[in-house]
Amino acid sequence: MVSVSLLVVVAAFAGCVRGWGADGHRTVGFIAMEFLTPKTLAFVQNSLGTEFNRSLGTAATWADDVKNEQAFLWSKNLHFVDAEDDPMDGSCSVHELRDCGNQICILAAIANYTTRLVDKSLPATETQIALKFIGELYLLRDISQPLHVEAVAAGGNGITVTCAGKKTNLHAIWDTNMLELNLDAQFGGSVQSYVNSLVSRIQDDDFSEPVSQWLSCTSTTEPFTVVDPSKRALHTTARHPDVARDVRAATITPLACPLVWARESNGFDCTTVFTFRNGTDVCNTGNYLTSAIPVIDLQLARSGLRLATWLNELLDP
Ligand SMILES: *[C@@H]1O[C@H](CO)[C@@H](O)[C@H](O)[C@H]1NC(C)=O
Ligand SMILES: *[C@@H]1O[C@H](CO)[C@@H](O)[C@H](O)[C@H]1NC(C)=O
Ligand SMILES: *[C@@H]1O[C@H](CO)[C@@H](O)[C@H](O)[C@H]1NC(C)=O
Ligand SMILES: [Zn+2]
């Protein structure tokens, strides 16, 4: 009997551990729930059902959870866009064709699942998948994480840094470590307290820029430009040579807003992310962590409100 209860404890703990790194996603999902219209909220709750406690916050890690499963391996490369810019030399940029010419990236994925969410010809299971991808993944955390919009060293995965005495990498500290340190230091480790704080700050317009500015791009249909398919190049990156394919077959019309958000996010690679000093503990020395936390707060709050607005536009126009 002892071993059985131990197993239960281990299983419960494993559930928590998997959540490490997922708090950013959850935060955005829970923020979004606060800004849905009644009609959108009803749609979301109904589509997600009890499996996800009818909440975008609870479902927020689904896309990360499944990406290593056989059936969803293909979705791995949809969590980011490899912006082939030069942030270490102060040059940041995202180009739809250069960086997502093959349409296997977060920009095309947002466009794809935005269309699919409201495609009435699709079965409910596909609608739910679209909702989880849009909500739980793309709009949420990933496109707002500067290193998910960066090609250098596979989005910083290949850059070793020390954070609070732990040897890790630049990508991981932006996904996870710095947020967790801040949660522990300021919010008693509680995602819900953090969410409450960000929701209040959104309502009080208490950020470094007016909250209304976050919603300057909200069209769920406006294409970023008219794309001439013959001008697309065969696209491959050092990071994902396997995803090269003939992009002239590309079928998704890229949207304007995701590119705006990607560029905004990518801008932080130049101003903040790559300013760490090599050889220092980036989470102890104060300066780097201190400049990173407001960026993390801003990006998570923005994503939450934008996600809600996006879903409201789609589901309760
Ligand atoms: C499910 O949601 C309800 C209210 O929406 C909340 O009170 C409850 O704590 C949630 N349960 C879990 C397991 O998250
Ligand atoms: C769009 O979504 C569907 C369903 O998940 C997927 O099969 C298809 O490959 C996606 N298309 C693109 C271009 O990502
Ligand atoms: C950081 O320093 C180590 C050795 O001290 C070196 O191997 C590594 O290339 C440096 N990284 C960067 C990004 O400069
Ligand atoms: Zn990541």
Side-chain angles (χ1 to χ4, degrees), residues 101-262:
N102 64 357
Q103 298 213 316
I104 303 178
C105 94
I106 193 165
L107 298 172
I110 290 174
N112 188 24
Y113 290 107
T114 294
T115 311
R116 293 176 71 86
L117 181 65
V118 289
D119 183 343
K120 297 248 181 331
S121 70
L122 292 175
T125 48
E126 286 297 319
T127 306
Q128 195 208 52
I129 285 176
L131 181 61
K132 286 186 290 190
F133 266 123
I134 293 174
E136 280 68 331
L137 176 59
Y138 302 125
L139 287 181
L140 254 93
R141 172 70 164 143
D142 288 338
I143 204 167
S144 74
Q145 210 279 51
L147 285 169
H148 277 243
V149 190
E150 185 50 66
V152 168
N157 275 294
I159 298 174
T160 302
V161 295
T162 301
C163 172
K166 244 175 65 183
K167 207 169 169 188
T168 174
N169 68 69
L170 191 63
H171 187 102
I173 68 168
W174 277 88
D175 264 358
T176 304
N177 305 57
M178 295 195 295
L179 171 62
E180 299 297 336
L181 285 171
N182 190 44
L183 281 181
D184 288 345
Q186 304 289 331
F187 301 97
S190 160
V191 171
Q192 199 53 58
S193 304
Y194 183 51
V195 167
N196 294 345
S197 152
L198 291 180
V199 167
S200 300
R201 289 179 61 194
I202 291 171
Q203 285 160 344
D204 298 345
D205 215 349
D206 179 26
F207 283 90
S208 52
E209 59 181 43
V211 165
S212 59
Q213 214 167 294
W214 303 351
L215 303 178
S216 55
C217 194
T218 56
S219 168
T220 57
T221 51
E222 185 194 339
F224 98 95
T225 182
V226 178
V227 179
D228 175 355
S230 68
K231 295 219 177 84
R232 291 176 178 282
L234 184 69
H235 176 91
T236 164
T237 69
R239 184 173 171 193
H240 297 290
D242 54 312
V243 301
R245 70 175 193 194
D246 189 345
V247 300
R248 277 161 300 188
T251 50
I252 307 289
T253 304
L255 296 175
C257 295
L259 186 62
V260 168
W261 305 326

Side-chain angles (χ1 to χ4, degrees), residues 30 33 45 50 52-55 58 192:
F30 285 124
M33 291 298 285
Q45 290 180 328
T50 50
F52 297 103
N53 200 26
R54 297 153 61 83
S55 169
T58 313
Q192 199 53 58

